[in-house]
Amino acid sequence: MHNDGMNHHEAFFRTDHHWKPQTGRWAAKHILEILRNDYGWNVDPDVLESDRFEYVTYPEWFLGSQGKKVTLARIRPDDFTMMYPKARTLMHFEVLAEDVDRTGDFSILYNMEQVEVRDYYNKSPYHSYVFGDQALIKITNKQLHNGKHILIIRDSFSDVVEPFLSLGIEHLEAI
């Protein structure tokens, strides 16, 4: 992060220990660069340049786990951003535990129920990304034919990395 001129404090939410979605996009781009430069994979990290996305920001929409502990009396909620590629996309997305099996544009990777209503204590906008912590997630980018398949042994930080990484990898599975 420091090599890329990023302030690591700004990479995280104030009220939560997780990366912001913008940081997840940065991490996915960095992973694609490593796969291309160090392993010779035919992937395009430029697909994750920040100017190739539209940003929808929900002001003061997210109260993370640390914020919930100190309550709204002591801290202001974070803004929360949903990011959408400007380019046309076609994805297939499966989350078996949620009975999700969808084909469509990039937005199918989001559980919009988590951001439809601002509810600090019963909703988690962070878990709108790939439906949050799941035992198995499968994403196929139906527009890519680079034959690349990646398996991620994940934790919750991956929620905001996997959707963006799927823009450069044909098949992504996360467990």
Side-chain angles (χ1 to χ4, degrees):
M1 288 182 176
H2 292 283
N3 288 344
D4 285 351
M6 294 176 64
N7 176 339
H8 68 275
H9 294 290
E10 293 295 318
F12 293 84
F13 291 104
R14 285 179 300 99
T15 68
D16 198 72
H17 62 284
H18 288 107
W19 283 338
K20 292 178 180 177
Q22 297 89 324
T23 310
R25 182 203 50 78
W26 168 84
K29 183 177 187 294
H30 192 69
I31 291 167
L32 289 179
E33 287 170 348
I34 290 168
L35 292 172
R36 183 190 64 194
N37 297 336
D38 295 354
Y39 297 96
W41 281 30
N42 181 25
V43 294
D44 181 12
D46 292 341
V47 63
L48 297 177
E49 289 290 336
S50 60
D51 64 349
R52 294 189 178 195
F53 288 85
E54 293 180 15
Y55 300 82
V56 177
T57 300
Y58 297 81
E60 296 186 2
W61 210 262
F62 178 52
L63 186 65
S65 59
Q66 295 163 340
K68 289 175 184 173
K69 289 177 183 175
V70 299
T71 76
L72 289 168
R74 307 286 289 167
I75 196 161
R76 194 179 88 244
D78 285 293
D79 293 347
F80 191 79
T81 302
M82 301 296 291
M83 299 167 52
Y84 302 90
K86 292 177 182 176
R88 192 172 117 345
T89 55
L90 182 60
M91 315 298 278
H92 182 250
F93 180 51
E94 294 179 72
V95 182
L96 301 179
E98 299 288 335
D99 290 324
V100 172
D101 187 347
R102 306 174 176 172
T103 299
D105 67 18
F106 186 82
S107 68
I108 67 168
L109 305 179
Y110 296 152
N111 178 0
M112 295 307 291
E113 290 177 8
Q114 296 297 326
V115 293
E116 288 174 342
V117 175
R118 181 173 25 205
D119 184 342
Y120 298 124
Y121 294 97
N122 297 305
K123 299 282 185 182
S124 175
Y126 188 79
H127 290 112
S128 62
Y129 279 81
V130 295
F131 285 68
D133 300 332
Q134 299 294 331
L136 176 63
I137 293 170
K138 296 179 180 184
I139 306 172
T140 301
N141 185 330
K142 297 183 100 27
Q143 289 183 304
L144 279 182
H145 304 289
N146 60 14
K148 299 304 178 193
H149 192 136
I150 192 166
L151 173 66
I152 297 174
I153 311 286
R154 72 183 316 275
D155 65 9
S156 57
F157 276 74
S158 297
D159 292 355
V160 295
V161 175
E162 292 162 5
F164 304 113
L165 192 55
S166 73
L167 291 171
I169 302 290
E170 187 174 353
H171 301 285
L172 181 147
E173 293 187 35
I175 57 172

